[in-house]
Amino acid sequence: MTSRTQGADAHPQRHEEAGDDAERLTVAVSILALLADRTRLALMRRLGEGEADVTTLTEACGAPRPSVSQHLAKLRLAGLVTARKDGRRVVYALRHGHLRRLVDEALNVADHQIGALPPHD
Protein backbone atom coordinates (compact mmCIF):
# COMPACT_ATOMS: atom_id res chain seq x y z
CA MET A 1 0.00 0.00 0.00
CA THR A 2 1.46 3.38 -0.95
CA SER A 3 1.54 6.33 1.42
CA ARG A 4 -0.99 8.06 -0.83
CA THR A 5 -3.34 5.07 -0.50
CA GLN A 6 -2.75 4.86 3.25
CA GLY A 7 -3.63 8.53 3.60
CA ALA A 8 -6.85 8.01 1.69
CA ASP A 9 -7.76 4.99 3.83
CA ALA A 10 -7.11 6.94 7.02
CA HIS A 11 -10.09 9.16 6.20
CA PRO A 12 -12.79 6.89 4.77
CA GLN A 13 -15.53 9.52 5.19
CA ARG A 14 -14.15 12.08 2.74
CA HIS A 15 -16.64 14.77 1.80
CA GLU A 16 -17.18 14.51 -1.94
CA GLU A 17 -20.45 16.39 -2.38
CA ALA A 18 -20.29 19.86 -3.94
CA GLY A 19 -21.42 21.62 -0.74
CA ASP A 20 -18.95 19.72 1.40
CA ASP A 21 -16.19 20.37 -1.12
CA ALA A 22 -16.81 24.11 -0.93
CA GLU A 23 -16.58 23.98 2.86
CA ARG A 24 -13.38 21.91 2.72
CA LEU A 25 -11.81 24.40 0.32
CA THR A 26 -12.81 27.32 2.53
CA VAL A 27 -11.31 25.71 5.61
CA ALA A 28 -8.16 24.75 3.72
CA VAL A 29 -7.75 28.32 2.49
CA SER A 30 -8.03 29.63 6.06
CA ILE A 31 -5.38 27.15 7.26
CA LEU A 32 -3.02 28.05 4.43
CA ALA A 33 -3.60 31.76 5.07
CA LEU A 34 -2.55 31.29 8.70
CA LEU A 35 0.60 29.50 7.56
CA ALA A 36 1.39 32.27 5.06
CA ASP A 37 3.22 34.19 7.77
CA ARG A 38 6.93 33.66 8.37
CA THR A 39 6.68 33.65 12.18
CA ARG A 40 3.70 31.29 12.28
CA LEU A 41 5.33 28.96 9.76
CA ALA A 42 8.53 28.94 11.86
CA LEU A 43 6.46 28.16 14.97
CA MET A 44 4.68 25.32 13.22
CA ARG A 45 7.98 23.94 11.91
CA ARG A 46 9.44 23.93 15.43
CA LEU A 47 6.30 22.39 16.91
CA GLY A 48 6.56 19.67 14.27
CA GLU A 49 9.67 18.55 16.17
CA GLY A 50 7.69 18.22 19.42
CA GLU A 51 6.12 20.18 22.24
CA ALA A 52 7.68 23.47 23.28
CA ASP A 53 7.09 26.40 25.59
CA VAL A 54 7.05 30.08 24.60
CA THR A 55 10.72 30.61 25.53
CA THR A 56 11.83 27.73 23.31
CA LEU A 57 9.57 28.87 20.48
CA THR A 58 10.83 32.46 20.76
CA GLU A 59 14.41 31.25 20.42
CA ALA A 60 13.51 28.96 17.52
CA CYS A 61 11.78 31.57 15.38
CA GLY A 62 13.75 34.67 16.36
CA ALA A 63 10.68 36.86 16.85
CA PRO A 64 10.00 38.97 19.94
CA ARG A 65 8.20 37.13 22.75
CA PRO A 66 5.01 39.27 22.58
CA SER A 67 4.78 38.57 18.85
CA VAL A 68 5.26 34.84 19.40
CA SER A 69 2.51 34.85 22.03
CA GLN A 70 0.11 36.63 19.66
CA HIS A 71 0.85 34.21 16.83
CA LEU A 72 0.37 31.23 19.15
CA ALA A 73 -2.97 32.65 20.24
CA LYS A 74 -4.09 32.84 16.59
CA LEU A 75 -2.93 29.26 15.95
CA ARG A 76 -4.74 28.04 19.09
CA LEU A 77 -7.92 29.90 18.17
CA ALA A 78 -7.82 28.29 14.72
CA GLY A 79 -7.39 24.85 16.32
CA LEU A 80 -3.98 24.19 14.78
CA VAL A 81 -2.08 23.97 18.06
CA THR A 82 -2.95 22.87 21.58
CA ALA A 83 -1.73 24.29 24.86
CA ARG A 84 -1.40 22.66 28.26
CA LYS A 85 -0.10 23.84 31.60
CA ASP A 86 3.09 22.30 32.94
CA GLY A 87 3.60 23.99 36.28
CA ARG A 88 4.01 27.68 35.51
CA ARG A 89 4.80 27.07 31.83
CA VAL A 90 2.39 26.66 28.95
CA VAL A 91 3.49 23.95 26.54
CA TYR A 92 2.31 24.03 22.93
CA ALA A 93 1.94 21.18 20.44
CA LEU A 94 0.58 20.64 16.94
CA ARG A 95 -3.00 19.40 16.91
CA HIS A 96 -2.14 16.50 14.55
CA GLY A 97 0.47 15.12 12.18
CA HIS A 98 -1.24 16.43 9.05
CA LEU A 99 -0.04 19.91 9.99
CA ARG A 100 3.56 18.76 10.41
CA ARG A 101 3.46 17.09 7.01
CA LEU A 102 1.86 20.16 5.42
CA VAL A 103 4.63 22.41 6.76
CA ASP A 104 7.31 19.87 5.78
CA GLU A 105 5.97 19.69 2.23
CA ALA A 106 5.81 23.47 1.89
CA LEU A 107 9.45 23.67 2.99
CA ASN A 108 10.37 20.84 0.59
CA VAL A 109 8.84 22.82 -2.29
CA ALA A 110 10.87 25.85 -1.17
CA ASP A 111 14.03 23.71 -1.16
CA HIS A 112 13.29 22.66 -4.74
CA GLN A 113 12.76 26.24 -5.88
CA ILE A 114 15.81 27.60 -4.09
CA GLY A 115 18.07 24.77 -5.18
CA ALA A 116 16.61 24.40 -8.69
CA LEU A 117 16.02 20.72 -7.93
CA PRO A 118 14.14 18.58 -10.45
CA PRO A 119 10.48 17.81 -9.74
CA HIS A 120 9.52 14.38 -8.46
CA ASP A 121 6.53 12.61 -6.94
Side-chain angles (χ1 to χ4, degrees), residues 23-85:
E23 182 180 8
R24 287 177 69 217
L25 290 171
T26 300
V27 171
V29 165
S30 68
I31 291 167
L32 292 172
L34 277 168
L35 298 180
D37 176 274
R38 188 188 185 287
T39 300
R40 286 193 291 269
L41 189 60
L43 291 170
M44 297 293 283
R45 179 182 60 183
R46 172 52 189 84
L47 288 172
E49 298 170 7
E51 294 183 331
D53 63 9
V54 175
T55 301
T56 302
L57 293 168
T58 299
E59 292 169 1
C61 72
R65 187 181 183 99
S67 176
V68 169
S69 293
Q70 288 178 356
H71 286 294
L72 287 168
K74 287 180 183 181
L75 294 170
R76 274 184 46 201
L77 186 62
L80 302 185
V81 300
T82 61
R84 67 175 176 80
K85 286 286 224 176

Coordinates of all heavy atoms in Angstrom, one line a residue, residues 23-85:
E23 N -17.0 23.8 1.5 CA -16.6 24.0 2.9 C -15.1 23.5 3.1 O -14.4 24.2 3.8 CB -17.5 23.2 3.8 CG -17.2 23.5 5.3 CD -18.1 22.7 6.2 OE1 -19.0 21.9 5.7 OE2 -18.0 23.0 7.4
R24 N -14.8 22.4 2.6 CA -13.4 21.9 2.7 C -12.4 22.9 2.1 O -11.4 23.2 2.7 CB -13.2 20.5 2.0 CG -13.9 19.4 2.8 CD -13.7 18.1 2.0 NE -12.4 17.7 2.0 CZ -11.8 17.1 1.0 NH1 -12.4 16.9 -0.1 NH2 -10.5 16.7 1.1
L25 N -12.7 23.4 0.9 CA -11.8 24.4 0.3 C -11.7 25.7 1.2 O -10.6 26.2 1.3 CB -12.3 24.7 -1.1 CG -12.1 23.6 -2.1 CD1 -12.8 23.9 -3.4 CD2 -10.6 23.3 -2.3
T26 N -12.8 26.1 1.7 CA -12.8 27.3 2.5 C -12.0 27.1 3.8 O -11.2 28.0 4.1 CB -14.3 27.7 2.9 OG1 -15.0 28.0 1.7 CG2 -14.3 28.9 3.8
V27 N -12.1 26.0 4.4 CA -11.3 25.7 5.6 C -9.8 25.6 5.2 O -9.0 26.1 5.9 CB -11.8 24.4 6.3 CG1 -10.9 24.0 7.5 CG2 -13.2 24.7 6.9
A28 N -9.5 24.9 4.1 CA -8.2 24.7 3.7 C -7.5 26.1 3.4 O -6.4 26.3 3.8 CB -8.1 23.8 2.5
V29 N -8.3 27.0 2.8 CA -7.8 28.3 2.5 C -7.4 29.1 3.8 O -6.4 29.7 3.9 CB -8.8 29.1 1.6 CG1 -8.4 30.6 1.6 CG2 -8.8 28.6 0.2
S30 N -8.3 28.9 4.8 CA -8.0 29.6 6.1 C -6.8 29.1 6.8 O -6.0 29.8 7.3 CB -9.3 29.6 7.0 OG -9.5 28.3 7.4
I31 N -6.6 27.8 6.7 CA -5.4 27.2 7.3 C -4.1 27.6 6.5 O -3.2 28.1 7.2 CB -5.5 25.6 7.2 CG1 -6.6 25.1 8.2 CG2 -4.1 25.0 7.6 CD1 -7.0 23.7 8.0
L32 N -4.2 27.6 5.2 CA -3.0 28.1 4.4 C -2.7 29.5 4.6 O -1.6 29.9 4.7 CB -3.2 27.7 2.9 CG -3.2 26.2 2.6 CD1 -3.6 26.0 1.2 CD2 -1.9 25.6 2.9
A33 N -3.8 30.3 4.8 CA -3.6 31.8 5.1 C -2.9 32.0 6.4 O -2.0 32.8 6.5 CB -4.9 32.5 5.1
L34 N -3.2 31.2 7.4 CA -2.5 31.3 8.7 C -1.1 30.9 8.6 O -0.2 31.5 9.2 CB -3.2 30.4 9.7 CG -4.4 31.0 10.4 CD1 -5.2 29.9 11.2 CD2 -4.0 32.1 11.3
L35 N -0.8 29.9 7.7 CA 0.6 29.5 7.6 C 1.4 30.4 6.6 O 2.6 30.3 6.5 CB 0.6 28.1 7.0 CG 0.0 27.0 7.9 CD1 0.1 25.6 7.3 CD2 0.6 27.0 9.3
A36 N 0.7 31.4 6.0 CA 1.4 32.3 5.1 C 2.0 33.5 5.8 O 2.0 34.6 5.3 CB 0.4 32.7 4.0
D37 N 2.5 33.2 7.0 CA 3.2 34.2 7.8 C 4.5 33.6 8.2 O 4.5 32.4 8.8 CB 2.3 34.6 9.0 CG 3.0 35.6 9.9 OD1 3.8 35.1 10.8 OD2 2.9 36.8 9.7
R38 N 5.6 34.2 8.1 CA 6.9 33.7 8.4 C 7.0 33.2 9.8 O 7.5 32.1 10.1 CB 8.0 34.7 8.1 CG 9.4 34.1 8.2 CD 10.5 35.1 8.1 NE 11.8 34.6 8.1 CZ 12.4 34.0 9.2 NH1 11.8 34.0 10.3 NH2 13.6 33.5 9.1
T39 N 6.6 34.0 10.8 CA 6.7 33.7 12.2 C 5.8 32.4 12.5 O 6.3 31.5 13.1 CB 6.3 34.8 13.1 OG1 7.2 35.9 12.8 CG2 6.4 34.5 14.6
R40 N 4.6 32.4 12.0 CA 3.7 31.3 12.3 C 4.2 30.0 11.6 O 4.2 28.9 12.2 CB 2.3 31.6 11.8 CG 1.6 32.6 12.8 CD 0.1 32.6 12.6 NE -0.3 33.2 11.3 CZ -0.5 34.5 11.2 NH1 -0.5 35.4 12.2 NH2 -0.9 35.0 10.0
L41 N 4.8 30.1 10.4 CA 5.3 29.0 9.8 C 6.5 28.4 10.5 O 6.7 27.2 10.7 CB 5.7 29.3 8.3 CG 6.1 28.1 7.5 CD1 5.0 27.1 7.3 CD2 6.6 28.6 6.1
A42 N 7.4 29.4 11.0 CA 8.5 28.9 11.9 C 8.1 28.3 13.2 O 8.6 27.3 13.6 CB 9.4 30.1 12.2
L43 N 7.0 28.8 13.8 CA 6.5 28.2 15.0 C 5.9 26.8 14.7 O 6.2 25.8 15.4 CB 5.3 29.0 15.6 CG 5.8 30.4 16.2 CD1 4.5 31.2 16.5 CD2 6.6 30.1 17.4
M44 N 5.2 26.6 13.6 CA 4.7 25.3 13.2 C 5.8 24.3 12.9 O 5.7 23.2 13.2 CB 3.7 25.5 12.0 CG 2.5 26.3 12.3 SD 1.4 25.6 13.5 CE 0.6 24.3 12.5
R45 N 6.8 24.8 12.2 CA 8.0 23.9 11.9 C 8.6 23.4 13.2 O 8.9 22.2 13.4 CB 9.0 24.7 11.1 CG 10.2 23.8 10.8 CD 11.3 24.5 10.0 NE 11.8 25.6 10.7 CZ 12.6 26.5 10.3 NH1 13.1 26.4 9.1 NH2 13.0 27.5 11.0
R46 N 8.8 24.3 14.2 CA 9.4 23.9 15.4 C 8.5 23.0 16.2 O 9.0 22.0 16.8 CB 9.8 25.2 16.3 CG 10.3 24.9 17.7 CD 11.4 23.9 17.7 NE 11.7 23.5 19.1 CZ 11.1 22.5 19.7 NH1 10.1 21.8 19.2 NH2 11.5 22.2 21.0
L47 N 7.2 23.3 16.2 CA 6.3 22.4 16.9 C 6.2 21.0 16.2 O 5.8 20.0 16.9 CB 4.9 23.1 17.0 CG 4.9 24.2 18.0 CD1 3.5 24.9 17.9 CD2 5.1 23.7 19.4
G48 N 6.5 21.0 15.0 CA 6.6 19.7 14.3 C 7.6 18.8 14.8 O 7.6 17.5 14.7
E49 N 8.6 19.3 15.5 CA 9.7 18.6 16.2 C 9.3 18.1 17.6 O 9.9 17.2 18.1 CB 10.9 19.4 16.3 CG 11.5 19.8 15.0 CD 12.6 20.9 15.1 OE1 13.0 21.2 16.3 OE2 13.0 21.4 14.1
G50 N 8.2 18.6 18.1 CA 7.7 18.2 19.4 C 7.2 19.4 20.2 O 7.3 20.6 19.8
E51 N 6.7 19.1 21.4 CA 6.1 20.2 22.2 C 7.2 21.2 22.6 O 8.4 20.9 22.7 CB 5.6 19.6 23.5 CG 4.4 18.7 23.4 CD 3.9 18.2 24.7 OE1 4.7 18.0 25.7 OE2 2.7 17.9 24.8
A52 N 6.7 22.4 22.9 CA 7.7 23.5 23.3 C 6.9 24.6 24.0 O 5.8 24.8 23.8 CB 8.4 24.1 22.1
D53 N 7.7 25.3 24.9 CA 7.1 26.4 25.6 C 7.4 27.7 24.8 O 8.1 27.7 23.8 CB 7.6 26.5 27.0 CG 9.1 26.7 27.2 OD1 9.8 26.9 26.2 OD2 9.6 26.6 28.3
V54 N 6.9 28.8 25.3 CA 7.1 30.1 24.6 C 8.5 30.5 24.5 O 9.0 31.0 23.5 CB 6.2 31.2 25.3 CG1 6.5 32.5 24.6 CG2 4.7 30.9 25.2
T55 N 9.3 30.2 25.6 CA 10.7 30.6 25.5 C 11.4 29.9 24.4 O 12.2 30.4 23.6 CB 11.4 30.3 26.9 OG1 10.7 31.1 27.9 CG2 12.9 30.7 26.9
T56 N 11.2 28.6 24.3 CA 11.8 27.7 23.3 C 11.4 28.2 21.9 O 12.2 28.3 21.0 CB 11.5 26.2 23.5 OG1 11.9 25.9 24.8 CG2 12.1 25.3 22.5
L57 N 10.1 28.5 21.8 CA 9.6 28.9 20.5 C 10.1 30.2 20.1 O 10.4 30.5 18.9 CB 8.0 28.9 20.5 CG 7.4 27.5 20.6 CD1 5.9 27.6 21.0 CD2 7.7 26.6 19.4
T58 N 10.3 31.1 21.0 CA 10.8 32.5 20.8 C 12.2 32.3 20.2 O 12.6 33.0 19.2 CB 10.8 33.3 22.0 OG1 9.4 33.5 22.4 CG2 11.4 34.7 21.8
E59 N 13.0 31.5 20.9 CA 14.4 31.3 20.4 C 14.4 30.6 19.0 O 15.3 31.0 18.2 CB 15.2 30.4 21.4 CG 15.4 31.1 22.8 CD 15.9 30.1 23.8 OE1 16.1 28.9 23.5 OE2 16.1 30.6 25.0
A60 N 13.5 29.7 18.8 CA 13.5 29.0 17.5 C 13.1 29.8 16.3 O 13.7 29.6 15.2 CB 12.5 27.8 17.6
C61 N 12.2 30.8 16.5 CA 11.8 31.6 15.4 C 12.4 33.0 15.3 O 12.2 33.6 14.3 CB 10.3 31.6 15.3 SG 9.5 32.7 16.6
G62 N 13.1 33.4 16.4 CA 13.7 34.7 16.4 C 12.9 35.9 16.4 O 13.3 37.0 16.1
A63 N 11.6 35.7 16.7 CA 10.7 36.9 16.9 C 10.6 37.3 18.3 O 10.9 36.5 19.2 CB 9.3 36.5 16.3
P64 N 10.2 38.5 18.6 CA 10.0 39.0 19.9 C 8.9 38.1 20.7 O 7.9 37.7 20.1 CB 9.5 40.4 19.8 CG 9.9 40.8 18.4 CD 9.9 39.6 17.6
R65 N 9.1 38.0 22.0 CA 8.2 37.1 22.7 C 6.7 37.6 22.6 O 5.9 36.7 22.5 CB 8.7 37.1 24.2 CG 7.9 36.2 25.1 CD 8.4 36.2 26.5 NE 7.7 35.2 27.3 CZ 8.2 34.1 27.7 NH1 9.4 33.7 27.2 NH2 7.5 33.2 28.4
P66 N 6.4 38.9 22.7 CA 5.0 39.3 22.6 C 4.4 38.9 21.2 O 3.3 38.5 21.1 CB 5.0 40.8 22.7 CG 6.3 41.1 23.5 CD 7.3 40.0 23.1
S67 N 5.2 39.0 20.2 CA 4.8 38.6 18.8 C 4.5 37.1 18.8 O 3.5 36.6 18.2 CB 5.8 39.0 17.8 OG 5.5 38.5 16.5
V68 N 5.4 36.3 19.4 CA 5.3 34.8 19.4 C 4.0 34.5 20.1 O 3.2 33.6 19.7 CB 6.5 34.2 20.0 CG1 6.2 32.7 20.3 CG2 7.7 34.3 19.1
S69 N 3.7 35.1 21.3 CA 2.5 34.8 22.0 C 1.3 35.2 21.2 O 0.3 34.4 21.2 CB 2.5 35.6 23.3 OG 3.5 35.2 24.2
Q70 N 1.3 36.3 20.5 CA 0.1 36.6 19.7 C -0.1 35.6 18.5 O -1.3 35.2 18.3 CB 0.3 38.0 19.1 CG 0.2 39.1 20.1 CD 0.4 40.5 19.5 OE1 0.7 40.6 18.4 NE2 0.2 41.5 20.3
H71 N 1.0 35.2 17.9 CA 0.8 34.2 16.8 C 0.4 32.9 17.4 O -0.5 32.2 16.7 CB 2.2 34.0 16.1 CG 2.5 35.2 15.2 ND1 1.8 35.5 14.1 CD2 3.5 36.1 15.3 CE1 2.3 36.6 13.5 NE2 3.4 36.9 14.2
L72 N 0.8 32.5 18.5 CA 0.4 31.2 19.2 C -1.1 31.3 19.5 O -1.8 30.3 19.3 CB 1.2 30.9 20.4 CG 2.6 30.4 20.1 CD1 3.4 30.4 21.4 CD2 2.6 29.0 19.5
A73 N -1.5 32.5 19.9 CA -3.0 32.6 20.2 C -3.8 32.5 19.0 O -4.9 31.8 19.0 CB -3.2 34.0 20.9
K74 N -3.4 33.0 17.9 CA -4.1 32.8 16.6 C -4.1 31.4 16.2 O -5.2 30.9 15.7 CB -3.4 33.7 15.5 CG -3.7 35.1 15.6 CD -3.0 35.9 14.5 CE -3.2 37.4 14.7 NZ -2.6 38.2 13.6
L75 N -3.0 30.7 16.3 CA -2.9 29.3 15.9 C -3.8 28.4 16.9 O -4.5 27.5 16.4 CB -1.5 28.8 16.0 CG -0.6 29.4 14.9 CD1 0.9 29.1 15.2 CD2 -1.0 29.0 13.5
R76 N -3.9 28.8 18.1 CA -4.7 28.0 19.1 C -6.2 28.3 18.7 O -7.0 27.4 18.7 CB -4.5 28.5 20.5 CG -3.4 27.8 21.2 CD -3.2 28.2 22.6 NE -4.4 28.2 23.4 CZ -4.6 28.9 24.5 NH1 -3.6 29.6 25.0 NH2 -5.7 29.0 25.1
L77 N -6.5 29.5 18.5 CA -7.9 29.9 18.2 C -8.4 29.2 16.9 O -9.5 28.7 16.8 CB -8.0 31.4 18.0 CG -9.5 32.0 17.8 CD1 -10.3 31.7 19.0 CD2 -9.4 33.5 17.5
A78 N -7.5 29.0 16.0 CA -7.8 28.3 14.7 C -7.8 26.8 14.9 O -8.2 26.0 14.0 CB -6.8 28.7 13.6
G79 N -7.4 26.3 16.1 CA -7.4 24.9 16.3 C -6.2 24.1 15.7 O -6.2 22.9 15.6
L80 N -5.2 24.8 15.4 CA -4.0 24.2 14.8 C -3.0 23.7 15.8 O -2.2 22.8 15.6 CB -3.3 25.1 13.8 CG -4.2 25.6 12.6 CD1 -3.3 26.5 11.7 CD2 -4.8 24.5 11.9
V81 N -3.0 24.4 17.0 CA -2.1 24.0 18.1 C -2.9 23.8 19.3 O -4.0 24.4 19.5 CB -0.9 25.0 18.3 CG1 0.0 25.1 17.1 CG2 -1.4 26.3 18.8
T82 N -2.4 23.0 20.3 CA -2.9 22.9 21.6 C -2.0 23.5 22.6 O -0.8 23.6 22.3 CB -3.2 21.4 21.9 OG1 -1.9 20.7 21.9 CG2 -4.1 20.7 20.9
A83 N -2.5 23.8 23.8 CA -1.7 24.3 24.9 C -2.1 23.6 26.1 O -3.3 23.3 26.4 CB -2.0 25.8 25.0
R84 N -1.1 23.3 27.0 CA -1.4 22.7 28.3 C -0.5 23.3 29.3 O 0.7 23.7 28.9 CB -1.3 21.1 28.2 CG 0.2 20.7 28.0 CD 0.3 19.1 28.1 NE 1.6 18.7 27.7 CZ 2.7 18.8 28.6 NH1 2.5 19.2 29.8 NH2 3.9 18.4 28.2
K85 N -0.9 23.3 30.5 CA -0.1 23.8 31.6 C 0.8 22.8 32.1 O 0.5 21.6 32.2 CB -1.0 24.3 32.8 CG -1.7 25.6 32.5 CD -0.8 26.7 32.6 CE -1.4 27.9 33.4 NZ -0.5 29.0 33.6

